[in-house]
Amino acid sequence: MSKMAAEDGLDVRASMPQDEVVDAPPPPPVATSQQPIALSVEEKLTISLSQEGALEAFDLKGTLSLTANDDVAAACRLTVANKTAAAGTTFATHPKVDKKAWESDGIVQMKSGGGFPVGRAVGVVRWALSTTDEQQVPLTINCWPEDEGDGQMNVNIEYTAARSGMELYDVSIKIPGCGAQPEIVAVDGTHSHDA
């Protein structure tokens, strides 16, 4: 809802009851351009790790969107220079994109006789990856629970970006198993508790 409201320039907070207003992390920067075309790449990654840190599930979904800003740009051809991806990644093109040109040369263009819509973002290529290859995980998580006695546990959780040069937005780390409100001694970021 908040993303749709942001696209329309609406303030969702004004219409929400005051006890439901939550400070959310800022969204990733949106490219604004006066260039003939604008491209945006969005990926969503969901990972589940076991208590010991072993990878249980890895699901990546991504979209390349193109916006033509004038009639001349609507007839553009986009060449994806490096179409290499992790083994097992599947790609799908928009039904109006020339699939043969994409598969043979990594070119995104409309099928003959048409152009991209002007002034509207169109998802032209989607990709997905489900794997058990732990080398694909962008974060390493180190968890050290220590029994303090009297039913008290001290848990240290450390997470580190596994790849340099990668920017992550809206990262949520969920830790199950804590029924009572925990005492947070130190945190880098924000936290919440949902029993």
Side-chain angles (χ1 to χ4, degrees):
M1 288 274 293
S2 62
K3 285 183 181 180
M4 291 178 359
E7 289 175 0
D8 293 334
L10 301 174
D11 184 6
V12 176
R13 293 171 175 251
S15 63
M16 291 176 64
Q18 196 57 31
D19 61 343
E20 291 184 26
V21 174
V22 178
D23 285 328
V30 176
T32 56
S33 174
Q34 298 304 320
Q35 299 297 320
I37 65 167
L39 300 172
S40 68
V41 174
E42 183 177 331
E43 288 187 319
K44 181 178 180 182
L45 176 60
T46 304
I47 299 173
S48 295
L49 302 172
S50 71
Q51 240 178 313
E52 293 78 29
L55 180 62
E56 292 181 342
F58 179 106
D59 292 306
L60 171 73
K61 295 190 183 334
T63 303
L64 171 65
S65 296
L66 182 146
T67 304
N69 292 319
D70 58 44
D71 291 332
V72 174
C76 72
R77 291 172 35 132
L78 172 67
T79 301
V80 179
N82 187 0
K83 202 177 92 167
T84 60
T89 304
T90 58
F91 291 91
T93 57
H94 188 284
K96 293 183 179 179
V97 168
D98 184 342
K99 190 171 187 170
K100 289 180 183 177
W102 167 256
E103 289 175 348
S104 64
D105 300 318
I107 294 174
V108 177
Q109 67 184 19
M110 295 300 273
K111 291 180 180 175
S112 60
F116 294 101
V118 175
R120 183 171 57 91
V122 176
V124 291
V125 179
R126 292 184 185 162
W127 57 94
L129 173 64
S130 292
T131 185
T132 55
D133 180 7
E134 292 186 3
Q135 297 297 317
Q136 299 297 325
V137 179
L139 292 174
T140 57
I141 299 177
N142 193 357
C143 180
W144 287 91
E146 299 170 14
D147 189 353
E148 298 286 318
D150 292 334
Q152 299 288 317
M153 291 291 290
N154 182 17
V155 181
N156 288 296
I157 300 173
E158 178 181 72
Y159 51 96
T160 308
R163 297 185 210 147
S164 63
M166 178 182 283
E167 290 186 37
L168 302 173
Y169 297 94
D170 195 19
V171 175
S172 297
I173 298 175
K174 298 179 181 178
I175 304 162
C178 186
Q181 176 73 28
E183 176 187 344
I184 307 296
V185 177
V187 66
D188 180 14
T190 60
H191 72 279
S192 64
H193 176 258
D194 180 0

